[in-house]
Amino acid sequence: MAEAKRERQGRRWGRLVAGRLNQNRWMLAAGVLAVLVVYSIAEESTFFVVVCIAALFVAAAVAPRRTARQRRAEAAAVGERSALERLSGENLAAAVADPLILFDGAGTVVHANDAALDAFAAVGPGISLQLKFRAPEMQELIAATLAGNGSPQVADYVERVPIERVYRVTGSAIGRGTGLYVLVFKDQSEARRIDRMRADFIANASHELRTPLASIAGFVETLRGPARKDAAARDHFLQIMQNQTSRMARLIDDLLSLSRLEMKPYLKPGTRVDLRAVVQGVIDSLSPLASESGVAIETDIPDGPFEVPGDRDELFQVFENLLENACKYGQSGGRVTVSMENMETGPQREVAVTIHDFGPGIPEEHIPRITERFYRVDVETSRAQKGTGLGLSIVKHILTRHNGRLSIKSKVGEGAAFTVHLPAG
């Protein structure tokens, strides 16, 4: 048994040594040739030659052997280099989603990808960049890029036709000695719009809170001074202060509602809600307000299922805001109608709920902006009706979470119709 084991080990080592020798045969041959050359020149002894050749065989046998994984990695690297060499500049430019323009040392366009052609008209090969982009910041950027100080150049550029777009433009040389340069345009329009909205929101919220606070502070000072002993004035001022604190409380509640809605992810279909019950509940809760405003609420809701996936409390808030606005701002019309119907919009069925008042209506130029935060058609009327300017913005956010939408139709003198569209499937 021991002899058989030693024999197997001997054969295994023999195969290993043969494999190493075969793999390193070129190194071995070169070494033997070098020894023979030295022998012929220096006339060394035969024993010296034999020793050197034996040492070469041992070195070749024990030299590290490349594994199959290493060979595959080397082959893959060669394949990648071949693939990169086959790529052209046009293919690389087409793979970039942002507008990209290649130009030469004279500032002439060599190539523009599809995104650049869509963003900037007439920017094909042969066009001079200095003539195409006449803004001072772009002229300076192109000149600095062509000067070639070794670092990328960056500038902000505004394209105003056909619509205003803001870009962060980066210019740099391509490689060394190619004589080619590149401009990459990163669209910053959406980020700038969000920044402006955030700044406007903070300014409007501060203004809305500052006004009642200033009023309350003034009345407190008056009550502590000239009106300290005037009972009638004290009651009048205290009533105004109560109204102002109620207004601030409503504003804070609406701001918190917006904040909670923005922090929630989009609603996934789950619980189904009966819109008929939700709308009827809203009508019942606002009946006292309608009576106080002299408005009659009329309904046109046919029989049939009106279920949609969603959150009942949030949908209740949607219709409560819309019906309350209709009663307040459309009270001159004397009535408000609430209708509901199933609609087929392509492959998907949806439920449409329309709340229509017959008041003064909304001028057409205000309709696109009416769901913006703090946007008011008539500031004095809104404040007189204790509005915060956030109700329709909350409605839009809730409908967006429910994959729904709000459509508005209005004519001055004929009232306004707000329609909520919610997917039924």
Side-chain angles (χ1 to χ4, degrees):
M1 294 290 291
E3 292 179 359
K5 183 176 181 180
R6 284 195 296 271
E7 184 179 354
R8 287 196 300 271
Q9 290 178 342
R11 287 198 299 268
R12 186 164 61 250
W13 279 103
R15 288 194 299 269
L16 177 62
V17 170
R20 297 287 178 87
L21 291 174
N22 181 62
Q23 184 177 8
N24 298 295
R25 59 185 182 274
W26 296 109
M27 181 183 72
L28 180 61
V32 171
L33 180 61
V35 170
L36 293 175
V37 170
V38 171
Y39 170 72
S40 64
I41 295 175
E43 297 183 353
E44 294 287 348
S45 66
T46 306
F47 176 76
F48 172 77
V49 175
V50 171
V51 170
C52 289
I53 292 175
L56 287 172
F57 270 91
V58 172
V62 300
R65 184 181 181 183
R66 290 185 306 163
T67 64
R69 178 180 297 177
Q70 289 173 332
R71 291 195 296 271
R72 288 195 298 270
E74 292 173 1
V78 172
E80 289 177 0
R81 286 195 296 271
S82 299
L84 287 174
E85 290 171 357
R86 289 195 302 270
L87 280 177
S88 67
E90 292 184 7
N91 291 334
L92 291 173
V96 178
D98 298 317
L100 182 148
I101 299 175
L102 301 175
F103 60 101
D104 59 20
T108 303
V109 176
V110 175
H111 176 72
N113 66 358
D114 290 340
L117 295 175
D118 291 339
F120 314 111
V123 73
I127 299 297
S128 172
L129 283 178
Q130 288 88 344
L131 295 178
K132 173 59 182 175
F133 299 102
R134 297 177 178 274
E137 60 271 19
M138 286 298 294
Q139 295 285 326
E140 294 175 4
L141 174 66
I142 295 169
T145 302
L146 292 174
N149 59 3
S151 60
Q153 305 297 316
V154 180
D156 290 329
Y157 169 64
V158 180
E159 180 78 6
R160 304 189 184 280
V161 179
I163 60 174
E164 183 174 298
R165 310 291 295 181
V166 181
Y167 294 97
R168 172 64 57 88
V169 189
T170 303
S172 61
I174 301 177
R176 294 182 179 179
T178 62
L180 293 177
Y181 304 84
V182 63
L183 291 181
V184 180
F185 296 75
K186 189 70 176 179
D187 196 339
Q188 303 286 311
S189 304
E190 184 65 16
R192 296 291 182 91
R193 186 185 68 83
I194 292 174
D195 287 342
R196 285 197 297 267
M197 287 179 60
R198 185 182 296 112
D200 291 344
F201 174 72
I202 293 173
N204 289 328
S206 301
H207 173 74
E208 292 294 331
L209 288 171
R210 188 183 296 112
T211 302
L213 281 174
S215 176
I216 292 172
F219 287 125
V220 168
E221 184 178 352
T222 303
L223 288 174
R224 295 183 65 183
R228 177 180 298 178
K229 297 181 180 180
D230 189 337
R234 184 170 61 248
D235 292 341
H236 176 65
F237 292 155
L238 287 174
Q239 182 61 50
I240 296 176
M241 292 167 64
Q242 183 178 0
N243 294 339
Q244 294 294 341
T245 54
S246 298
R247 177 185 168 191
M248 282 194 297
R250 290 193 303 272
L251 178 61
I252 292 172
D253 287 342
D254 285 349
L255 287 173
L256 291 175
S257 295
L258 270 178
S259 178
R260 285 192 295 267
L261 288 170
E262 290 176 344
M263 291 176 64
K264 292 180 181 179
Y266 284 97
L267 189 70
K268 296 181 180 179
T271 306
R272 297 191 67 81
V273 180
D274 182 6
L275 281 187
R276 182 198 299 275
V278 172
V279 172
Q280 190 58 53
V282 170
I283 292 173
D284 293 340
S285 67
L286 292 180
S287 292
L289 174 65
S291 299
E292 182 180 341
S293 302
V295 174
I297 300 177
E298 303 172 358
T299 60
D300 180 16
I301 303 177
D303 296 332
F306 292 101
E307 290 188 347
V308 297
D311 184 285
R312 186 186 186 282
D313 292 337
E314 291 186 2
L315 292 176
F316 189 96
Q317 189 175 9
V318 166
F319 296 112
E320 184 178 43
N321 275 329
L322 293 178
L323 187 56
E324 183 177 0
N325 285 347
C327 292
K328 287 180 178 179
Y329 301 109
Q331 63 180 353
S332 60
R335 65 190 180 99
V336 172
T337 63
V338 180
S339 59
M340 190 180 302
E341 62 177 331
N342 286 310
M343 299 178 64
E344 297 291 339
T345 56
Q348 189 176 28
R349 186 173 61 87
E350 68 178 19
V351 177
V353 182
T354 301
I355 298 177
H356 187 188
D357 69 72
F358 297 87
I362 304 170
E364 185 177 357
E365 63 270 18
H366 293 288
I367 292 179
R369 300 191 59 192
I370 200 170
T371 57
E372 294 180 11
R373 299 174 182 181
F374 296 112
Y375 188 84
R376 295 180 173 94
V377 176
D378 187 333
V379 176
E380 295 301 325
T381 301
S382 177
R383 289 182 177 174
Q385 298 294 343
K386 302 179 181 180
T388 62
L390 295 173
L392 290 179
S393 183
I394 292 174
V395 168
K396 184 182 70 174
H397 275 75
I398 293 176
L399 292 181
T400 300
R401 276 181 22 86
H402 285 72
N403 198 26
R405 58 190 175 91
L406 177 69
S407 60
I408 305 170
K409 294 181 180 180
S410 179
K411 288 185 178 181
V412 176
E414 298 181 11
F418 292 78
T419 303
V420 174
H421 303 266
L422 289 167

